[in-house]
Amino acid sequence: MNYAELARRIENICRYGTVETIDHENKTITVNLGDITTTNIRWAVLRSGTDKTWDAPSFGEECAVISPCGELALGFAIFGFYNENNPSPESNPALKLRLFEDGTVICYDTENHALTAILVAGGTATLTATGGITINGDTTINGNVTTNGNVQTNGNTAMTGDNTVGGSQSVDGTSLAKGSLTCNGDVTASGISLKNHTHGGVQGGSSDTGGPK
C-alpha cells in the first residue's frame, strides 16, 4: 500500500457530510462529503434487535460517516449535530425535548417534574390498551384530572366517589337510585309537575293525603 492510498484511507475513517438521497425501503442513504458522494450506506439507529426503532434521517441533515479501514463503501452514518441550518430547539438543561418537523413537541421538565405533549392544530392521539388503562393521581390535589372539551364514552361507566354536574344532564335510558333522591326544584313527569299538579274529584279539607291509616 503506497503513501497516497494510506493517506486516503486515514482521511476516510471519519468524515462529515450531509444527506443527499434516502432509500427508505432499503434503509440506506448517500452522503455528500463535499468532494465525493458515498454509495448507499446504512445509518445507525438506537436499537435494531428484538427491540427496534425507526426514525429516518432528513434530506440535508448533517452526519458523520465512519468507515472501517477507511473504505467508504463499508461506512455507516451517525447523526445528532446542531448547526446553523438546524439549531438546537432549546438551551434549558432541565428540559428533555423532542421537536417534530410539523411542530409537535414532547417535553419533560426535570426541574418542575412536568411532562408535556403539544400536538399541532388538528393533531390526534390514540392510546390502545386492551388489558385496561389506569390513571393514578393525588386525590389531595383539587382537580387532579382535568378534561377540556367533549368526552365520548362507548361503554359502561362506574364511579365509587361523588359526582357533581355543573350543567344540564340528559338520560335516554332509565335511572335507578338506591338511596334517597333530593330535588331543590320541581320534578316533571310526562308534562305533570310534582309541585303544582292537582287531582280532580277530591273534596278539599284540612287533612293530608297519603298519610298513615
Side-chain angles (χ1 to χ4, degrees), residues 202-209:
V202 177
Q203 180 67 42
S206 61
S207 299
D208 294 331
T209 62

Side-chain angles (χ1 to χ4, degrees), residues 40-111:
N40 286 301
I41 61 175
R42 298 181 298 169
W43 70 81
V45 296
L46 293 178
R47 295 293 302 275
S48 61
T50 53
D51 292 340
K52 297 176 175 63
T53 58
W54 168 249
D55 193 355
S58 55
F59 294 104
E61 186 172 356
E62 186 180 10
C63 63
V65 176
I66 308 300
S67 303
C69 302
E71 289 293 342
L72 291 175
L74 302 176
F76 61 91
I78 58 176
F79 294 86
F81 308 100
Y82 298 129
N83 53 48
E84 292 183 357
N85 295 326
N86 292 287
S88 167
E90 254 297 339
S91 58
N92 186 346
L95 300 183
K96 315 303 177 183
L97 181 147
R98 176 66 186 266
L99 171 63
F100 295 89
E101 60 181 311
D102 66 349
T104 293
V105 176
I106 298 176
C107 177
Y108 182 68
D109 186 339
T110 58
E111 182 176 338

Side-chain angles (χ1 to χ4, degrees), residues 67-191:
S67 303
C69 302
E71 289 293 342
L72 291 175
L74 302 176
F76 61 91
I78 58 176
F79 294 86
F81 308 100
Y82 298 129
N83 53 48
E84 292 183 357
N85 295 326
N86 292 287
S88 167
E90 254 297 339
S91 58
N92 186 346
L95 300 183
K96 315 303 177 183
L97 181 147
R98 176 66 186 266
L99 171 63
F100 295 89
E101 60 181 311
D102 66 349
T104 293
V105 176
I106 298 176
C107 177
Y108 182 68
D109 186 339
T110 58
E111 182 176 338
N112 297 300
H113 319 297
L115 176 63
T116 304
I118 303 175
L119 278 67
V120 294
T124 62
T126 301
L127 174 61
T128 301
T130 57
I133 298 174
T134 300
I135 300 176
N136 294 318
D138 186 353
T139 56
T140 63
I141 300 176
N142 183 28
N144 52 31
V145 177
T146 301
T147 301
N148 297 316
N150 299 326
V151 177
Q152 173 70 42
T153 300
N154 299 317
N156 299 325
T157 301
M159 299 182 187
T160 58
D162 297 332
N163 183 30
T164 301
V165 179
S168 301
Q169 185 169 270
S170 175
V171 179
D172 289 336
T174 60
S175 297
L176 171 64
K178 294 184 178 180
S180 300
L181 184 62
T182 301
C183 180
N184 293 329
D186 195 5
V187 176
T188 302
S190 298

Side-chain angles (χ1 to χ4, degrees), residues 19-22 24 57-61:
V19 176
E20 187 164 294
T21 65
I22 307 173
H24 295 99
S58 55
F59 294 104
E61 186 172 356

